[in-house]
Every structure is written in structure tokens, then in C-alpha cells.
Amino acid sequence: MTMEMPRIRLGSDAAWLELAQGGENSWRVTADWCSWLSADYTAYLTREEAADFAARVLSHLRAPSGARFSASVTPGRNNPLVLSAEPVGDGFAFFVRLTPHGDDDVCHLQMEINPIDAAELRDLFDALHASLAL
């Protein structure tokens, strides 16, 4: 029996982002915005970095304030992904900054993902965090 690798997908058919573990310290970052802009690259993250990212996002989603927040996958220069969340109704819209070669102002993709219900987001990030805690 094969265990499914940890992953999370945010968005809809029009605009989405997926972070999926492919190997020990290898993650696939893929995104698409209206089939006009896309990204698909490997990010080198430890399981601990991904679990910490999921925990930080969850801490904001569980906070009753409903305030905007931002979370980076890693704190250093080689950060492949930043999510900035803006409260909208009962959920959050995401502004995504993808940087395949680290925090490089020359090579990045920014996109917006329409609002996602906060309860659905908590479930998605809870599942990711649980899959990384094994």
C-alpha cells in the first residue's frame, strides 16, 4: 500500500495553486491563472518547513479577528511561495507570489485566487498539517 504524498490545492478551475511533496525534500509548486499565466517548478523544502508553514497559516485561520495576514513557506532568501490573505465575507482571497529562484525581483509570478470559505481553508490546511505530522 502506498501512502499519498502531502499536498494542498487552493482555488478554482480559473485560478489555482498547488503545493505537493514529490520526494524527501522536493516539492512541486504549480499554479495557473485563467490559462494565461502558469508556473511549474521544484522547490526544495523540508517536511518541517512545510509543516511549520501549514501551522502558521492555520494559526491565522483559527484567529477570530478575520484580519489580513501573510505567510511565507520559508523565512529565507530561497522562499518559493508567499500567500497573502485578504478577508472577504466569511473567507479569504489570496494573493500569491511565486519565486522559482528565491526572492528574485526579476523572476516571479503574482496572481490572485478568489475568496475561499474560512472553514474550507481550515480543513485544507488541517489535512496538509496532519499529513506532515506522520
Side-chain angles (χ1 to χ4, degrees), residues 119-133:
E120 180 183 344
L121 286 168
R122 280 191 301 276
D123 290 347
L124 290 168
F125 278 96
D126 270 332
L128 175 63
H129 192 261
S131 70
L132 292 164

PDB file of all heavy atoms in Angstrom, residues 119-133:
ATOM      1  N   ALA A 119     -13.833  28.076   6.700  1.00  0.00           N
ATOM      2  CA  ALA A 119     -13.947  26.702   7.208  1.00  0.00           C
ATOM      3  C   ALA A 119     -13.301  25.716   6.234  1.00  0.00           C
ATOM      4  O   ALA A 119     -12.601  24.780   6.647  1.00  0.00           O
ATOM      5  CB  ALA A 119     -15.407  26.341   7.451  1.00  0.00           C
ATOM      6  N   GLU A 120     -13.509  25.925   4.932  1.00  0.00           N
ATOM      7  CA  GLU A 120     -12.888  25.070   3.919  1.00  0.00           C
ATOM      8  C   GLU A 120     -11.366  25.200   3.962  1.00  0.00           C
ATOM      9  O   GLU A 120     -10.639  24.210   3.877  1.00  0.00           O
ATOM     10  CB  GLU A 120     -13.409  25.433   2.529  1.00  0.00           C
ATOM     11  CG  GLU A 120     -12.824  24.594   1.414  1.00  0.00           C
ATOM     12  CD  GLU A 120     -13.304  25.024   0.031  1.00  0.00           C
ATOM     13  OE1 GLU A 120     -14.308  25.753  -0.082  1.00  0.00           O
ATOM     14  OE2 GLU A 120     -12.643  24.618  -0.950  1.00  0.00           O
ATOM     15  N   LEU A 121     -10.885  26.432   4.121  1.00  0.00           N
ATOM     16  CA  LEU A 121      -9.443  26.651   4.221  1.00  0.00           C
ATOM     17  C   LEU A 121      -8.851  25.953   5.446  1.00  0.00           C
ATOM     18  O   LEU A 121      -7.790  25.325   5.363  1.00  0.00           O
ATOM     19  CB  LEU A 121      -9.122  28.145   4.275  1.00  0.00           C
ATOM     20  CG  LEU A 121      -9.262  28.901   2.973  1.00  0.00           C
ATOM     21  CD1 LEU A 121      -9.195  30.400   3.224  1.00  0.00           C
ATOM     22  CD2 LEU A 121      -8.174  28.463   2.000  1.00  0.00           C
ATOM     23  N   ARG A 122      -9.544  26.053   6.580  1.00  0.00           N
ATOM     24  CA  ARG A 122      -9.058  25.363   7.788  1.00  0.00           C
ATOM     25  C   ARG A 122      -8.969  23.866   7.539  1.00  0.00           C
ATOM     26  O   ARG A 122      -7.994  23.224   7.918  1.00  0.00           O
ATOM     27  CB  ARG A 122      -9.966  25.665   8.983  1.00  0.00           C
ATOM     28  CG  ARG A 122      -9.688  27.003   9.626  1.00  0.00           C
ATOM     29  CD  ARG A 122     -10.408  27.158  10.961  1.00  0.00           C
ATOM     30  NE  ARG A 122     -11.850  27.033  10.873  1.00  0.00           N
ATOM     31  CZ  ARG A 122     -12.677  28.028  10.554  1.00  0.00           C
ATOM     32  NH1 ARG A 122     -12.201  29.237  10.300  1.00  0.00           N
ATOM     33  NH2 ARG A 122     -13.975  27.823  10.503  1.00  0.00           N
ATOM     34  N   ASP A 123      -9.986  23.295   6.887  1.00  0.00           N
ATOM     35  CA  ASP A 123      -9.969  21.862   6.591  1.00  0.00           C
ATOM     36  C   ASP A 123      -8.792  21.496   5.691  1.00  0.00           C
ATOM     37  O   ASP A 123      -8.112  20.493   5.915  1.00  0.00           O
ATOM     38  CB  ASP A 123     -11.280  21.425   5.928  1.00  0.00           C
ATOM     39  CG  ASP A 123     -12.469  21.444   6.883  1.00  0.00           C
ATOM     40  OD1 ASP A 123     -12.267  21.549   8.115  1.00  0.00           O
ATOM     41  OD2 ASP A 123     -13.619  21.363   6.383  1.00  0.00           O
ATOM     42  N   LEU A 124      -8.551  22.319   4.655  1.00  0.00           N
ATOM     43  CA  LEU A 124      -7.451  22.045   3.728  1.00  0.00           C
ATOM     44  C   LEU A 124      -6.095  22.095   4.435  1.00  0.00           C
ATOM     45  O   LEU A 124      -5.256  21.206   4.262  1.00  0.00           O
ATOM     46  CB  LEU A 124      -7.463  23.042   2.567  1.00  0.00           C
ATOM     47  CG  LEU A 124      -8.591  22.906   1.559  1.00  0.00           C
ATOM     48  CD1 LEU A 124      -8.639  24.126   0.635  1.00  0.00           C
ATOM     49  CD2 LEU A 124      -8.427  21.629   0.752  1.00  0.00           C
ATOM     50  N   PHE A 125      -5.875  23.150   5.227  1.00  0.00           N
ATOM     51  CA  PHE A 125      -4.590  23.286   5.910  1.00  0.00           C
ATOM     52  C   PHE A 125      -4.452  22.300   7.072  1.00  0.00           C
ATOM     53  O   PHE A 125      -3.351  21.849   7.369  1.00  0.00           O
ATOM     54  CB  PHE A 125      -4.352  24.734   6.350  1.00  0.00           C
ATOM     55  CG  PHE A 125      -3.823  25.587   5.222  1.00  0.00           C
ATOM     56  CD1 PHE A 125      -4.688  26.355   4.465  1.00  0.00           C
ATOM     57  CD2 PHE A 125      -2.475  25.590   4.898  1.00  0.00           C
ATOM     58  CE1 PHE A 125      -4.211  27.118   3.408  1.00  0.00           C
ATOM     59  CE2 PHE A 125      -2.000  26.349   3.850  1.00  0.00           C
ATOM     60  CZ  PHE A 125      -2.863  27.112   3.096  1.00  0.00           C
ATOM     61  N   ASP A 126      -5.568  21.937   7.721  1.00  0.00           N
ATOM     62  CA  ASP A 126      -5.530  20.888   8.743  1.00  0.00           C
ATOM     63  C   ASP A 126      -5.083  19.559   8.131  1.00  0.00           C
ATOM     64  O   ASP A 126      -4.254  18.842   8.695  1.00  0.00           O
ATOM     65  CB  ASP A 126      -6.920  20.678   9.382  1.00  0.00           C
ATOM     66  CG  ASP A 126      -7.155  21.544  10.601  1.00  0.00           C
ATOM     67  OD1 ASP A 126      -6.178  21.899  11.295  1.00  0.00           O
ATOM     68  OD2 ASP A 126      -8.331  21.859  10.875  1.00  0.00           O
ATOM     69  N   ALA A 127      -5.647  19.233   6.966  1.00  0.00           N
ATOM     70  CA  ALA A 127      -5.284  17.981   6.294  1.00  0.00           C
ATOM     71  C   ALA A 127      -3.805  17.988   5.889  1.00  0.00           C
ATOM     72  O   ALA A 127      -3.122  16.976   6.052  1.00  0.00           O
ATOM     73  CB  ALA A 127      -6.175  17.760   5.067  1.00  0.00           C
ATOM     74  N   LEU A 128      -3.330  19.118   5.361  1.00  0.00           N
ATOM     75  CA  LEU A 128      -1.914  19.206   5.000  1.00  0.00           C
ATOM     76  C   LEU A 128      -1.040  19.040   6.232  1.00  0.00           C
ATOM     77  O   LEU A 128      -0.092  18.248   6.237  1.00  0.00           O
ATOM     78  CB  LEU A 128      -1.600  20.559   4.318  1.00  0.00           C
ATOM     79  CG  LEU A 128      -0.131  20.802   4.006  1.00  0.00           C
ATOM     80  CD1 LEU A 128       0.411  19.789   2.998  1.00  0.00           C
ATOM     81  CD2 LEU A 128       0.076  22.225   3.493  1.00  0.00           C
ATOM     82  N   HIS A 129      -1.367  19.763   7.297  1.00  0.00           N
ATOM     83  CA  HIS A 129      -0.565  19.696   8.519  1.00  0.00           C
ATOM     84  C   HIS A 129      -0.569  18.272   9.099  1.00  0.00           C
ATOM     85  O   HIS A 129       0.479  17.755   9.498  1.00  0.00           O
ATOM     86  CB  HIS A 129      -1.089  20.703   9.546  1.00  0.00           C
ATOM     87  CG  HIS A 129      -0.161  20.888  10.688  1.00  0.00           C
ATOM     88  ND1 HIS A 129      -0.352  20.254  11.889  1.00  0.00           N
ATOM     89  CD2 HIS A 129       0.983  21.618  10.808  1.00  0.00           C
ATOM     90  CE1 HIS A 129       0.634  20.589  12.713  1.00  0.00           C
ATOM     91  NE2 HIS A 129       1.457  21.414  12.061  1.00  0.00           N
ATOM     92  N   ALA A 130      -1.727  17.629   9.116  1.00  0.00           N
ATOM     93  CA  ALA A 130      -1.825  16.258   9.631  1.00  0.00           C
ATOM     94  C   ALA A 130      -0.997  15.294   8.797  1.00  0.00           C
ATOM     95  O   ALA A 130      -0.344  14.396   9.339  1.00  0.00           O
ATOM     96  CB  ALA A 130      -3.295  15.810   9.671  1.00  0.00           C
ATOM     97  N   SER A 131      -0.994  15.471   7.488  1.00  0.00           N
ATOM     98  CA  SER A 131      -0.227  14.559   6.626  1.00  0.00           C
ATOM     99  C   SER A 131       1.278  14.743   6.816  1.00  0.00           C
ATOM    100  O   SER A 131       2.056  13.831   6.549  1.00  0.00           O
ATOM    101  CB  SER A 131      -0.613  14.746   5.155  1.00  0.00           C
ATOM    102  OG  SER A 131      -0.140  15.990   4.671  1.00  0.00           O
ATOM    103  N   LEU A 132       1.688  15.910   7.273  1.00  0.00           N
ATOM    104  CA  LEU A 132       3.116  16.185   7.501  1.00  0.00           C
ATOM    105  C   LEU A 132       3.565  15.767   8.891  1.00  0.00           C
ATOM    106  O   LEU A 132       4.761  15.600   9.144  1.00  0.00           O
ATOM    107  CB  LEU A 132       3.408  17.674   7.289  1.00  0.00           C
ATOM    108  CG  LEU A 132       3.259  18.133   5.852  1.00  0.00           C
ATOM    109  CD1 LEU A 132       3.175  19.642   5.774  1.00  0.00           C
ATOM    110  CD2 LEU A 132       4.405  17.605   5.023  1.00  0.00           C
ATOM    111  N   ALA A 133       2.627  15.598   9.800  1.00  0.00           N
ATOM    112  CA  ALA A 133       2.966  15.253  11.182  1.00  0.00           C
ATOM    113  C   ALA A 133       3.225  13.754  11.366  1.00  0.00           C
ATOM    114  O   ALA A 133       3.629  13.331  12.416  1.00  0.00           O
ATOM    115  CB  ALA A 133       1.844  15.708  12.105  1.00  0.00           C
TER     116      ALA A 133
END
